[in-house]
Amino acid sequence: MLLGTMLVLLLLGGAGPASAHAAVRGTDPADGTVLKSAPRQITLTFTESVALLDDSLRVYDPTNHRVRTGEAQHAPGHSDTVRIALPAKLGTGTFTVAWRVVSADSHPVSGAFTFSVGKATPTAALVDPGPAENPATGSLYTIVRYVAYLAAALLIGTLTFAAVCRPPDATPLRKAVRTGWWTLAAATVVLLVLRAPYEEGTAPAAAFDLSALARTATGRPGLLLLTRLALLLVAGAGLLLLRRRAAPPGRPALAAGAVLAVGLALTWAAAEHASAGIQVPVAITSSVLHLLAMAVWLGGLTALLTLLSRTAESGTVPAATVTRFSRLAFASVTVLAVTGVYQSWRGLGSWQALADSSYGRLLVGKLAAVAVLLVMAALSRQWTARLAAVEVSEAVRERVPEPVGARPAPPEPEPATEPEPATEPEPATEPEDAPSRPTSPSSPPSPPSPTSPSPVSPLDVHRALRRSALAEVAVAVAVLGITTVLTGTLPARAEAAAAADGSAPATVGIPTASVTVVPFQAGQGGNGKVQITLDPGRVGRNSLEAVVYGPDGGLSSVPELRISLSLPAQKIGPIDTRITDRGGYWAADSLDVPLPGTWTMKVTVRVSDLDQVTESQTVRITR
């Protein structure tokens, strides 16, 4: 209830500036504007600081040729502003600007916009920034990041479990520590190699470019990955030294381990959402605590599960060890809840964002999974308490005290004497008139036998606790997977801030005309191609221009050209475009396209009185 109240107060506290993932705040010239004269430079302003790539800004003229520009650079004293110089004689028409940068939280973003000089014209620019990431590279990079999270949790959590919970025999945990260290080191190397193609949006094969790897090593994300490798090397050397000494670690070693764990967590926090936006120092601190609490809980659970599995037949884990971890897990859950509330407020900014943004919907999914995880943790905590109670009961049963006032047992008879009868004397031996012996009401009851079975054995409780911990680990791994996706998603607060500034999302496509090239061959030597521009290539009124190129690639004049459109899926058409010869090119000023979809464009070219050919090509019409 307390955490829910905190969440309500934080969410209703109002939205601040954008947090994480750069979005365009504005451009100069503005998108879609028509200028009387050519600008001397192009400027883009983002919602946060950005890093530049070798090809961050590209400018294309109306004929889809790249314009020679200066080198993209930051404006003096403004790391969130990028500009590029244009040539003195830019020309007229509609120009396309494509951009790609790396936001402060290490995620690449891209987009494009257009501006016109003199008048707006149909543009043949085929530039499409596509997704901000190459699908193969982005998926591989996300998977390796997830593996790195798991490895960090296994390494940090297992070592913390061994140091704080103090199991009698920590030997079974050595394999988990080695696995966590090597896996995290390997994942860090792979992330370092994939960093360049991830930023540039290229295929994974581009990772073998040594020059790209050198550029990665000088950027902030690359430096943080190198720092992580250095910290792992120091941690590995320290673990080897402790193993050779074969002695429990002292306070200096524990303090050094804590410093290394915080340093490892910082290599994540300084490269993700916490490193940009509002309250950066507080956000980084919260992110470090969140990551460490996750590692202690999930890695500690794995360590406990390892011990429970190893001792299932040979013995049991002491209740004291399990109880210590239960307290440690409770503290970790508390830290996770507090830091999670803060990070949710920082990323969302409003209740509406929970349903209206991808970030909010992912967060709802994570919260649902965390709720299931807390239920499993509560069940494990109950089994932990029961284990402690059973062990206490067993210890009491092994030490049953003698009843107060009981007579001492008679000494054992000598071997020479006749043994006493095993049964009590028959009542007939006593005289019938002898008074009977009343039973003393103050006689104590017989004590329970120490060997009598207990209702629940410690081994049964261990098995139940092992099953509960296994289910808890499974749900925690799922939560970690959702968290990995969440760290790569544009926060709702940043998305809302960009929309309020009037800028389009960072991955918006380019509003260009549809350009279709149709090759043809009509008779001997009558081969060529027709380039058809449909502007804007959307439902409604469009203009159409067609240019015919000959075998040598130059403009060609043909006596007749006909173009029609049909939509087979809706049984519409053919629609005659009624193009006319405009002297060097063919055009139709008004062409109505009624529906979106994949249309079939049929082009008939007559190159002479006897040679004529008809070719077809598909064209996509959007809304």
Side-chain angles (χ1 to χ4, degrees), residues 198-225:
Y198 175 72
E199 290 180 349
E200 297 171 0
T202 55
F208 299 101
D209 186 357
L210 295 180
S211 61
L213 186 60
R215 290 193 302 271
T216 299
T218 58
R220 188 166 63 92
L223 289 174
L224 289 171
L225 290 172

Side-chain angles (χ1 to χ4, degrees), residues 179-245:
T179 302
W181 191 93
W182 281 107
T183 304
L184 182 56
T188 304
V189 171
V190 174
L191 289 174
L192 188 64
V193 173
L194 286 176
R195 186 66 206 177
Y198 175 72
E199 290 180 349
E200 297 171 0
T202 55
F208 299 101
D209 186 357
L210 295 180
S211 61
L213 186 60
R215 290 193 302 271
T216 299
T218 58
R220 188 166 63 92
L223 289 174
L224 289 171
L225 290 172
L226 290 174
T227 302
R228 187 183 303 171
L229 280 176
L231 292 173
L232 283 174
L233 290 176
V234 174
L239 290 173
L240 288 176
L241 182 61
L242 288 175
R243 185 175 180 181
R244 289 180 180 178
R245 290 176 56 186

Side-chain angles (χ1 to χ4, degrees), residues 562-585:
R562 297 192 305 272
I563 301 176
S564 63
L565 292 172
S566 60
L567 184 60
Q570 300 292 336
K571 298 181 179 180
I572 298 177
I575 300 174
D576 188 2
T577 60
R578 302 181 185 277
I579 60 173
T580 57
D581 188 355
R582 303 291 178 88
Y585 70 97

Side-chain angles (χ1 to χ4, degrees), residues 59-67 94 96 123-127:
V59 183
Y60 293 85
D61 64 15
T63 62
N64 197 26
H65 291 88
R66 184 166 179 177
V67 178
T94 299
T96 303
T123 174
L126 300 176
V127 182

